[in-house]
Amino acid sequence: MAARWNIPSGHQWTIEAGTQRATLVEIGGGIREYTVNGREILAGYPADAMAAKGVGQILAPWPNRIRDGKYTFGGEDHKLSWDEPEKRTAIHGLVRWEMWDRLDHTPTAVTLARTVQPRPGYPFALVLRVHYSLGKDGLKVEHQATNVGPNPAPFGLGIHPYLTLGGEPLDDATLRLPAGRRILTDERLLPTGVEDVDGTEWDYRKGRKIGSASLDTPFVVTERDADGIAVSELVDAEGRGGQLWQDASFGWVQAYNGVGPNGVANQAVAVEPMTCPPDAFNSGEGLITLQPGERWSGTWGVRPL
């Protein structure tokens, strides 16, 4: 299916359930908008704009950064292009600017797919699928990745949604994160260690006003319910807002409240579920090795409050 080039994000597929509305896009296979009663729960962007600041994008076959774009896997060295030249890193995978195919579209659900073809730096073949659906519990997003190549493949996945309070400033908003540890990073936002958040300004487990905090921080998820679900939350003083939940497939979460998709700082918080921390292709921490024919799956979602 050819992209509709007068719309930078390509074809648009809208789903609705009651007062909920979500629009999914061809370029990157991500979320352009999610609203309830016309109010933004996830920060979006216009149909005639590109997905600035990663908004709503799928980050695969790795999330976050790879140091110098270099890694070794299966005894072979690989070199990826620098998507972030100022930090000398390869960032957020290979598919967020590629065209995804629509496999199915009903009034309340859309399924999209993208094949990752072998290429210099990542000579592995994957089929990625994502299923978006709306229901009484909000937006649910189910991911699959299948190794369709002849060799084992390194893999990680993240997502880049922004929680928002209808575009209002977040100085008095309360953010909750299910994370008892944060990853320390250097000036290139690459990991240098891990520390407990107990007694520090980085402890958002019980909810904390954002205020003047500057977040571009990866955290280790430590708080889950009996079903393995971890929940992040952004709410105003009346408790209105949204929750983002992630299943046990996603062991890390990145929080970012800098300049958002609308070009304004601190009007949205990116809460990014990740299967691995930054630079996992080098550290091996959380790295998934998909054997030929093996399939990985993971699920997350958003509940309006």
Side-chain angles (χ1 to χ4, degrees):
M1 180 186 298
R4 196 185 309 174
W5 291 116
N6 61 324
I7 298 180
S9 51
H11 286 267
Q12 316 279 302
W13 299 291
T14 297
I15 55 178
E16 296 181 318
T19 62
Q20 299 178 82
R21 174 186 173 95
T23 299
L24 301 317
V25 296
E26 178 182 24
I27 304 302
I31 304 169
R32 189 175 67 75
E33 63 174 351
Y34 174 49
T35 63
V36 178
N37 283 317
R39 180 181 175 87
E40 282 189 320
I41 305 300
L42 295 180
Y45 59 98
D48 62 355
M50 292 175 63
K53 308 300 287 187
V55 58
Q57 292 184 322
I58 298 169
L59 318 176
W62 72 87
N64 222 292
R65 295 165 174 86
I66 296 177
R67 184 185 306 271
D68 300 322
K70 297 178 180 179
Y71 66 99
T72 300
F73 183 80
E76 295 189 9
D77 295 333
H78 301 283
K79 176 66 173 69
L80 294 153
S81 299
W82 292 349
D83 308 288
E84 199 177 35
E86 69 278 10
K87 291 185 173 65
R88 306 188 307 281
T89 64
I91 187 172
H92 289 339
L94 301 170
V95 298
R96 61 194 184 118
W97 300 112
E98 295 189 346
M99 293 168 57
W100 289 59
D101 297 319
R102 184 199 66 186
L103 301 185
D104 189 45
H105 184 195
T106 71
T108 60
V110 171
T111 303
L112 307 176
R114 176 68 197 177
T115 299
V116 179
Q117 301 288 357
R119 66 195 73 192
Y122 193 82
F124 311 101
L126 306 175
V127 171
L128 306 178
R129 291 175 61 130
V130 58
H131 180 74
Y132 298 96
S133 60
L134 292 176
K136 60 182 179 61
D137 293 325
L139 173 68
K140 183 178 183 181
V141 188
E142 301 165 271
H143 296 269
Q144 290 183 353
T146 304
N147 183 354
V148 294
N151 301 308
F155 175 75
L157 186 139
I159 314 95
H160 211 297
Y162 284 78
L163 290 172
T164 188
L165 300 177
E168 297 296 323
L170 301 182
D171 303 72
D172 295 323
T174 297
L175 176 66
R176 179 163 63 93
L177 298 172
R181 286 178 286 168
R182 75 172 178 120
I183 298 173
L184 305 175
T185 57
D186 61 17
E187 67 281 356
R188 296 166 66 191
L189 296 179
L190 292 166
T192 61
V194 180
E195 72 172 12
D196 291 339
V197 300
D198 289 328
T200 75
E201 62 185 306
W202 304 100
D203 192 350
Y204 287 87
R205 287 173 294 180
K206 294 183 179 179
R208 188 183 191 96
K209 281 196 174 182
I210 294 175
S212 61
S214 178
L215 295 165
D216 197 352
T217 310
F219 292 88
V220 181
V221 173
T222 58
E223 315 292 307
R224 297 185 183 272
D225 66 16
D227 296 320
I229 301 298
V231 178
S232 301
E233 181 179 275
L234 181 71
V235 294
D236 63 15
E238 285 75 46
R240 296 173 303 175
Q243 291 182 333
L244 186 148
W245 58 269
Q246 56 196 76
D247 73 7
S249 301
F250 298 97
W252 289 263
V253 64
Q254 177 107 1
Y256 168 73
N257 72 330
V259 176
N262 64 351
V264 179
N266 207 32
Q267 286 190 357
V269 179
V271 178
E272 309 165 37
M274 303 185 297
T275 63
C276 57
D279 204 29
F281 273 32
N282 284 303
S283 71
E285 186 173 6
L287 184 65
I288 298 164
T289 297
L290 288 174
Q291 299 298 325
E294 185 177 4
R295 175 178 295 172
W296 168 91
S297 62
T299 303
W300 64 282
V302 179
R303 304 186 190 105
L305 296 175

